[in-house]
Amino acid sequence: MADGPSDNKQSGGERGNKPALQLHVPEPHYRPGDKVDFSHVEVPEAGRQPRPDEACAARETEALCYDLVRVLGEDYRAHGPWDPKLDADTLRTMLRNFALTRAFDERMFRGQRQGKTSFYMKCTGEEATSIASSMALASDDMVFPSYRQQGILIARGYPLVEMINQIYSNRGDKLKGRQLPIMYSSREHSFFSISGNLATQTPQAVGWAMASAIKGDSRIAATWVGEGSTAEGDFHSACTFATVYNAPVILNVINNQWAISSFSGFAGAERTTFAARALGYGLAGLRVDGNDPLACYAAQQWAANRARANAGPTLVEYFTYRAEGHSTSDDPSGYRSAQEREEWPLGDPVMRLKKHLMALGEWDEQRDEAMDAECADQVKKATKEAEKNGILGHGLHHPFRTMFEDVFEELPWHLKEQSEQAIRERETKFPEGLPKQ
Amino acid sequence: MIEAINDALSIKLDQDPDVIVMGEDVGYFGGVFRATAGLQEKYGKTRVFDTPISECGIIGVAVGMGAYGLRPVPEIQFADYIYPGLDQLISEAARLRYRSAAEYIAPLTVRSPFGGGIFGGQTHSQSPEAIFAHVSGLKTVIPSTPYDAKGLLIAAIEDNDPVIFFEPKRIYNGPFSGYYDKPVEPWKKHEDSVVPEGHYSIPLGKARKVIEGEELTVLAYGTMVHVARAVCEKKGVDADIVDLRTIVPLDIEAIEASVRKTGRCLIVHEATRTSGFGAELSALVTERCFYHLEAPVERVTGFDTPYPHSLEWAYFPGPVRIGEAIDKILSE
Ligand SMILES: Cc1ncc(C[n+]2csc(CCOP(=O)(O)OP(=O)(O)O)c2C)c(N)n1
């Protein structure tokens, strides 16, 4: 047994002529202080990617899994077969949804800094991957988002006040103050309750889509997951189930390069693309410029049409960049070069859409400024309105007994007892009644 | 018991077009224990179907189906394989109602054969019920007779909360006395074997009095109900045996009433001892019936080791272990 596998020597050891094995630990291109050069990122010319028939065999999308579907060129005009040919009003609506989401993110981030809530997450730079893509779905298609798709709710017209009530966990919060800020839910807007456990929503979306198919419904499901989270088993289960049952579902992977401080290499990005994951499962795959609103829309529309025609599920990778920190608890200057954001070769989705509309003669600087001011004002008003219901930690929350509701459909004896205890504790703490605000 | 389970599934598939049965090998073949035999043929491939070998996928997909409005009844082939699906059960199914303030629910019933005594080794014998009892939002059901299996399964499927339905596989075909030198008599010859035709349900959270007695309360569920009963009969102990049937919700009234009457309490389960559900029962009985107790509460359980293959009967909390505990309690 001297040199058998049980001879568990930790270092080096005499292995004769056998080469010593080496572990590869991925390392991002740039760390804080590094000068950034994104020339290794291939940015193909817009309009050059073929658009296969939506009902094509999954493997016909192979080339597109390594390419990058792009529509908006350097001239800010739409090019090629993926141009979704949207009318100016739709484009303006999209731009407004972008601007409103950005204004909302700005204000909520500040609100967290002001102590009105515990936590916030921005989607800056990724607006197109949620807003443009969800605009290509029907309003009653079910979405299973992760935590960076607030843009979908905004695009679907969910009241900002409700979003802020949730973020403040105040007495107006429809989720009764139980969820971390930004973990929205709205059945009315076909928006599934967000989980804090990464990737769990992906097999759930597939199950919803399967159920829709079992019932002969016409609604499809779409889910969003970060590239880092695709390493979770749930994602792979979702891909397997989606392909096995040909579920009418779209699996959107937002490759924003970073999973907190871990770069995409830790999810396998050094070896292949995320879109290419589709191929091994027999899913259709598309790799898309995630900062190109028209490409995002077109890809989602392609996948939705495919699902609706029972032609199969699609995995869409959006190649984008997380311009801001991971959340209010994160400081990206600790792990990546600050220059990355400026050098990101695919630009900013809001700017690109704005310039596109201007190139069409359908927009100008004055209107843009007015729109931004309106959005900021709209968010400000909603914030004021929501603050009437309280902010986190200031006592205006739901009554104590609600903590015990909805664990089960009916309250069992042990929760009844515990609920009575909570109320007793409150009376002991505040014998003269609740403190005044 | 397996026929009773099949019958319950068939009745619900028939009555409710939203009921879906799925799991590894459950479709064409009818399941490795044959619990779903014939169902696909009767209800079609979109109501009863095989799944990939992915417990995380099975449960995750079932959560999505539940959110859509279906009532999925996924089967996990052995309870030992429920762990890859645990996150979907614990973080998702159990809390979906709560986290969405009842906007979405996950009315799934996860069926899974559990427990040992069939030479299944350490990966086909476990009793993980305590894990689920510890999770807020899950209900855990463990029948011990064919009558109960049918009635409880129907109730579980009709329940709007996620239910874990553990089927004690040792007693699929007949009650097991624990005296392994004695052959198992098939359910047919047993008084609890009578399963009425058609729909009936047993409310979750109501225990069953197995036998009435004055000397000692035995709290048990699943296979151990039969083992405890055989031991008490053999020893001539006048026991009050309470089959819990569901451990969440728990029938605390039945437990209190019995312990107050007898003043002595023995808890029997097959799962490992430390942090097992017996610990919870013991604590509850002590908290609520302390002044009625004439002896410390005793637990008889499996050992804190994995379930061994060749030494299965040494592991199993059989008549010797139960007998000793009874002697100890009665001698106080
Ligand atoms: C199961 C699980 N593991 C870890 C975490 C902690 N966590 C929260 S976000 C995150 C990074 C996710 O990165 P990615 O999927 O790329 O999405 P992004 O934040 O970039 O949008 C981690 C590790 C979690 N929420 N859930």
Side-chain angles (χ1 to χ4, degrees):
Chain A
M1 289 296 282
D3 54 9
S6 64
D7 183 13
N8 202 2
K9 279 200 193 119
Q10 285 300 311
S11 62
E14 294 305 312
R15 315 283 313 174
N17 287 329
K18 294 175 192 165
L21 299 173
Q22 285 181 338
L23 182 70
H24 171 72
V25 179
E27 184 57 32
H29 289 280
Y30 316 107
R31 286 299 192 186
D34 288 347
K35 199 166 150 35
V36 168
D37 175 8
F38 276 128
S39 59
H40 63 279
V41 175
E42 276 178 52
V43 180
E45 197 183 325
R48 277 298 179 82
Q49 300 73 37
R51 187 181 186 282
D53 188 89
E54 287 143 355
C56 73
R59 61 185 309 169
E60 280 181 47
T61 62
E62 182 173 348
L64 288 166
C65 289
Y66 301 100
D67 205 332
L68 203 59
V69 172
R70 301 182 78 230
V71 175
L72 276 180
E74 306 305 315
D75 55 358
Y76 298 111
R77 296 208 170 254
H79 298 274
W82 285 94
D83 176 8
K85 301 198 163 55
L86 300 176
D87 59 57
D89 281 338
T90 305
L91 292 171
R92 276 189 290 258
T93 303
M94 192 185 281
L95 185 66
R96 190 178 179 93
N97 288 334
F98 282 6
L100 191 55
T101 303
R102 202 160 267 195
F104 187 79
D105 275 2
E106 263 327 302
R107 184 137 200 126
M108 290 302 108
F109 189 92
R110 252 195 299 145
Q112 191 274 340
R113 293 295 191 243
Q114 293 164 346
K116 292 176 185 171
T117 188
S118 57
F119 180 78
Y120 191 74
M121 292 176 110
K122 289 175 156 186
C123 66
T124 314
E126 299 172 38
E127 289 87 350
T129 64
S130 50
I131 295 168
S133 59
S134 68
M135 282 178 72
L137 298 173
S139 62
D140 59 354
D141 285 336
M142 187 71 183
V143 299
F144 288 76
S146 176
Y147 44 67
R148 228 181 278 286
Q149 282 77 46
Q150 57 267 51
I152 299 178
L153 270 181
I154 288 176
R156 286 190 169 183
Y158 188 63
L160 297 184
V161 178
E162 298 295 351
M163 294 175 77
I164 306 169
N165 284 339
Q166 198 284 322
I167 291 166
Y168 288 170
S169 275
N170 61 22
R171 66 181 169 193
D173 173 11
K174 290 202 169 136
L175 305 183
K176 304 189 189 173
R178 293 167 182 166
Q179 283 266 56
L180 199 65
I182 65 134
M183 305 262 171
Y184 316 101
S185 174
S186 177
R187 198 183 166 92
E188 210 188 324
H189 294 79
S190 298
F191 186 97
F192 192 66
S193 150
I194 298 174
S195 175
N197 288 39
L198 294 170
T200 52
Q201 73 278 15
T202 57
Q204 293 166 4
V206 176
W208 196 97
M210 287 170 67
S212 187
I214 287 168
K215 298 304 271 185
D217 196 340
S218 60
R219 294 173 294 164
I220 64 169
T223 184
W224 278 255
V225 68
E227 92 290 344
S229 306
T230 62
E232 291 282 3
D234 302 62
F235 176 73
H236 300 276
S237 298
C239 290
T240 301
F241 276 73
T243 194
V244 165
Y245 301 104
N246 207 46
V249 68
I250 308 169
L251 302 159
N252 293 301
V253 175
I254 311 301
N255 179 4
N256 66 7
Q257 314 302 321
W258 291 91
I260 313 187
S261 72
S262 306
F263 86 115
S264 57
F266 285 100
E270 288 178 329
R271 313 291 173 200
T272 185
T273 67
F274 292 96
R277 307 281 194 274
L279 299 170
Y281 289 103
L283 301 165
L286 302 173
R287 188 161 172 270
V288 181
D289 175 349
N291 291 17
D292 176 342
L294 297 185
C296 292
Y297 185 100
Q300 196 73 5
Q301 187 179 46
W302 187 92
N305 289 343
R306 180 176 175 82
R308 262 185 244 291
N310 284 310
T314 306
L315 192 165
V316 184
E317 172 187 354
Y318 299 86
F319 194 69
T320 182
Y321 187 78
R322 194 194 74 214
E324 296 275 353
H326 171 76
S327 70
T328 44
S329 316
D330 177 45
D331 175 11
S333 71
Y335 52 81
R336 70 183 187 189
S337 170
Q339 224 201 330
E340 277 191 17
R341 176 175 178 174
E342 291 147 42
E343 296 294 321
W344 181 247
L346 299 174
D348 174 75
V350 183
M351 202 51 76
R352 284 172 75 185
L353 183 57
K354 172 182 150 180
K355 294 226 167 125
H356 175 54
L357 267 163
M358 285 177 174
L360 294 175
E362 297 284 354
W363 199 242
D364 54 51
E365 285 296 349
Q366 286 92 316
R367 282 156 93 181
D368 198 65
E369 271 171 37
M371 177 188 70
D372 280 347
E374 272 169 37
C375 288
D377 193 51
Q378 192 181 339
V379 174
K380 195 170 159 191
K381 283 200 177 109
T383 309
K384 287 247 158 69
E385 196 55 36
E387 279 175 16
K388 289 183 191 157
N389 297 319
I391 55 176
L392 183 67
H394 283 228
L396 282 182
H397 44 59
H398 282 273
F400 279 31
R401 68 178 157 70
T402 61
M403 178 162 68
F404 300 91
E405 290 169 359
D406 306 320
V407 177
F408 295 103
E409 189 173 31
E410 281 163 32
L411 206 64
W413 64 267
H414 63 288
L415 289 177
K416 238 178 247 163
E417 285 186 3
Q418 291 167 27
S419 150
E420 282 154 16
Q421 180 187 350
I423 289 163
R424 258 196 332 275
E425 280 176 14
R426 184 179 62 162
E427 283 160 4
T428 315
K429 265 200 218 137
F430 307 113
E432 268 111 62
L434 277 183
K436 293 264 176 303
Q437 284 307 310
Chain B
M1 185 181 273
I2 208 87
E3 290 84 16
I5 289 162
N6 186 278
D7 190 19
L9 291 172
S10 185
I11 286 169
K12 286 317 296 176
L13 280 161
D14 200 49
Q15 282 181 342
D16 184 350
D18 290 335
V19 171
I20 299 293
V21 169
M22 60 180 198
E24 293 155 24
D25 304 300
V26 305
Y28 181 81
F29 181 57
V32 292
F33 290 101
R34 318 295 298 141
T36 56
L39 296 179
Q40 184 175 73
E41 210 179 335
K42 232 153 114 193
Y43 300 101
K45 284 205 294 192
T46 56
R47 304 282 309 284
V48 180
F49 51 84
D50 291 336
T51 61
I53 303 170
S54 164
E55 290 73 16
C56 156
I58 293 169
I59 311 282
V61 154
V63 170
M65 288 179 166
Y68 180 93
L70 301 187
R71 290 189 177 276
V73 189
E75 175 181 299
I76 299 297
Q77 206 158 66
F78 288 88
D80 311 67
Y81 305 130
I82 213 161
Y83 307 129
L86 266 192
D87 185 47
Q88 285 288 345
L89 276 174
I90 295 178
S91 313
E92 303 295 315
R95 298 211 294 264
L96 185 56
R97 176 190 292 281
Y98 193 75
R99 79 176 197 219
S100 70
E103 260 194 342
Y104 295 101
I105 59 171
L108 52 146
T109 301
V110 181
R111 289 182 39 248
S112 191
F114 92 134
I118 60 148
F119 285 104
Q122 47 93 24
T123 57
H124 298 80
S125 308
Q126 292 165 70
S127 302
E129 69 274 13
I131 296 175
F132 300 98
H134 194 60
V135 174
S136 332
L138 291 179
K139 292 180 176 171
T140 302
V141 180
I142 302 157
S144 73
T145 68
Y147 177 84
D148 277 11
K150 179 172 169 183
L152 288 167
L153 182 53
I154 288 177
I157 297 172
E158 291 173 353
D159 200 282
N160 284 330
D161 291 315
V163 179
I164 314 291
F165 191 85
F166 279 133
E167 299 165 6
K169 56 180 160 325
R170 186 66 185 82
I171 56 170
Y172 262 155
N173 298 316
F176 175 61
S177 69
Y179 293 93
Y180 6 98
D181 43 342
K182 277 210 293 191
V184 170
E185 37 163 351
W187 279 114
K188 278 190 193 63
K189 293 199 186 142
H190 198 269
E191 58 186 288
D192 297 323
S193 71
V194 191
V195 177
E197 266 182 47
H199 178 283
Y200 67 92
S201 69
I202 298 172
L204 307 185
K206 287 270 170 281
R208 171 176 78 102
K209 191 56 75 68
V210 182
I211 44 171
E212 286 273 358
E214 304 296 326
E215 251 186 310
L216 164 73
T217 295
V218 179
L219 304 178
Y221 45 86
T223 304
M224 299 319 293
V225 170
H226 303 282
V227 181
R229 179 180 183 167
V231 178
C232 289
E233 279 170 358
K234 188 154 184 187
K235 292 179 78 78
V237 177
D238 184 23
D240 206 48
I241 300 187
V242 183
D243 172 2
L244 299 177
R245 280 175 165 163
T246 64
I247 60 170
V248 180
L250 184 66
D251 190 345
I252 192 69
E253 282 176 25
I255 294 172
E256 281 186 43
S258 174
V259 176
R260 290 196 170 146
K261 176 178 75 175
T262 64
R264 295 171 202 273
C265 180
L266 171 69
I267 296 154
V268 188
H269 66 56
E270 202 184 319
T272 48
R273 185 176 187 85
T274 302
S275 298
F277 194 68
E280 176 64 29
L281 288 172
S282 170
L284 281 171
V285 167
T286 309
E287 283 164 2
R288 287 169 186 258
C289 310
F290 185 74
Y291 294 107
H292 295 82
L293 286 176
E294 285 163 40
V297 179
E298 282 287 323
R299 280 182 289 164
V300 170
T301 69
F303 293 133
D304 287 343
T305 70
Y307 219 110
H309 185 233
S310 66
L311 296 177
E312 172 159 273
W313 295 121
Y315 177 95
F316 191 83
V320 176
R321 212 174 303 159
I322 295 173
E324 274 181 10
I326 291 176
D327 292 343
K328 190 171 166 207
I329 296 181
L330 293 182
S331 70
E332 295 276 338

